[in-house]
Structures are given as structure tokens and as C-alpha cells.
Amino acid sequence: MAVLLFFFFLLFDISRAIPVLDFSKLNGHERAKTLAHIANACEDWGFFHLVNHGIAEDLLERVKKVSTDFYKLEREENFKNSKVVKLLNETGDKKLENVDWEDIVTLTDDNENEWPSQTPGFKETFKEFRYELKKLAEKILEVLDENLGLPKGHIKKAFDGEEGENNAFFGTKVSHYPPCPNPERVIGLRPHTDAGGLILLFQDDEVGGLQVWKDGEWIDVEPLKNTIVISVGDQIEVISNGRYKSAWHRVFSTTDSNRRSVASYYNPSHKATIAPAPQLMKETNEEWNQAYPKFVFGDYMSVYYQQKFHPKEPRFQAVSAM
């Protein structure tokens, strides 16, 4: 991994590349420096690569294989007959709006009986992978607690809601972005921020396409083998009272490659009440400086489903009136 990082820094202007952070250094004498790097990444980017994250490379390789096999066996023919393909073929040179060149399957604990069943090893591999990712997500949330000066477990407790422990929602989206004959006419995934809490993305090693909006331009999230890309969601932005920001991002389509993407999201329970942490609100003139409203996450999602590809600020305004 050290050799890979060396060549990454040689090839790319690191001032215009999302941070690459070593999670294992939290356990050594560089803990304070690593905490600071994570805090800066959450504040300045809302995105970062995580290396040495503790998930075995053998498992990551199996995830790649079953994901690729799954698309070929169970999804490729269906995608050829999908709505977006038909629209692209039927609309001449017109640019397509309100659609994405993406194939998606969602995995949750509640729909496990509906997981893909024809691909050997898919269920077993993803069950193991999701277990490891969820553990990693909870470790990262504790790091965010520490960096924000919050009690250990504050964010997880907020996500669990008043129903008790382990009610936070954990889902996984297995996506593919197949080769597109006219990428100038349809995007892979439209620009948006992530609605939930913490997103852990295991993206393609070779095929790029993911971009993050920063300082007025789109920055490539370069493929880096077996890293986990961390994205700050809207709910972390709220709890941090704006110190950490969810970032606009998108995926562009390409003509000659099928990009694999496995995004898992650690979200609040739909019944959880989300609000800025009291410790992060400043008292001024006998009033609390609360930059974000208090709301029920399920209500926020109702707004998000309608406004996902629009600016996030009106979503916060809409949910504050509910």
C-alpha cells in the first residue's frame, strides 16, 4: 500500500485530490496528527480515501468478483432493456434529463431474502462485507465524536434514536455504470449530496467517474486499489452544526468501461430526531447559534426523495416547517 500511495502522489496534484488517510495510524504515536487530518478532510472536502482500514484484502477481492459476476449473470441483459437505454435510443441527439445511466440493487438486513441468488458466493460474501463495514462505520463515528468534542457514542446514539441501541439503518447499494454509447447525452449519476449519515464507498480499482465539487470545480476521486472512500452525509453536517459538510458529487458515464461501485450508508433510524449537538452551538446574546433545524429523519427523507438532485439548503428549510 505504501508503494501505491507513493505513485499516487507522483501522478496527481495532491492539493487538488481528495485526502488519503491511514486509519491504522490512530493506534500509534501519530494519533493526534491523524485525528487532525480526518477533521480537516471532513471540514474541507466531506470526502476522503481510507487505507489500512482493517477489512481483509481477501474479502475485498471476493466482493469485486461476486459483484462483477452478479452483473454479468443477473443484470446485464435487463439493463439493455431498461428505461434509460430505451430513452437514449429513442431521443435522437437530445440530452437526457432526470435519469441516470446506472444499474442498482439495494441490500439491507430486512430484504435479505430478496438478495441476488443466482451468483455463487454473492450472499455469503456481502453478508460478511456488510458486517465488517458496519463495524468500521461505528469506529469512524467515534473518531468524529472525538474530533468534534462530543461524548463517545454521541452520533451513534443520535442515529439509534429513542428506541434504543442498534436501530440505526445500514444499507448497501451495489451499482454498475455500464459502457454508454453517448456519454455526452446522459450522466452516470446526477450531482447530489448524500441524505444520511456516513457513506462508505468501495469503488472500482481501475475505472474512474466519481467527482466531488470543490472550490468551483469538479475534482476526480481517483481509483485507488482497496481503499474505502468515506463521504460525510447531510445528517453529520447537521449534528456538527455545519462544521463538517456533505459534498456535492456525481458520476459521469464512459464509452468503454463498466464501473463497479458498492456504497454502504450508516443512517439514522427513520424515527430518530436529528439536531445540532448542544456542545457545538454557541450562546450569543442569550440565544443559541443553531445553524440547522431539529427534525425527524423520516421527515427529512420524505423531502429528500423529492429534492435529491437539488441544493440541500431548501431541504433543511422545508423540514424545519414540518
Side-chain angles (χ1 to χ4, degrees), residues 98 190-195 234 248 299-322:
N98 302 319
R190 287 163 283 169
H192 64 287
T193 63
D194 291 316
D234 293 347
W248 276 84
D299 291 339
Y300 185 82
M301 288 306 298
S302 297
V303 175
Y304 184 84
Y305 289 138
Q306 299 175 12
Q307 301 181 18
K308 176 177 179 178
F309 301 108
H310 298 282
K312 59 189 170 183
E313 290 77 13
R315 297 199 293 265
F316 294 131
Q317 293 171 6
V319 79
S320 67
M322 296 177 72

Side-chain angles (χ1 to χ4, degrees), residues 73 80 98 118 142 171 183 192 216 264 277 318:
L73 285 171
K80 291 176 182 178
N98 302 319
Q118 299 174 36
E142 289 184 356
H192 64 287
S264 297

Side-chain angles (χ1 to χ4, degrees), residues 44-45 211-219 247-250:
D44 296 341
W45 287 87
Q211 296 180 318
V212 175
W213 181 256
K214 179 172 171 56
D215 298 334
E217 64 179 313
W218 289 105
I219 307 296
W248 276 84
H249 53 284
R250 69 179 185 181

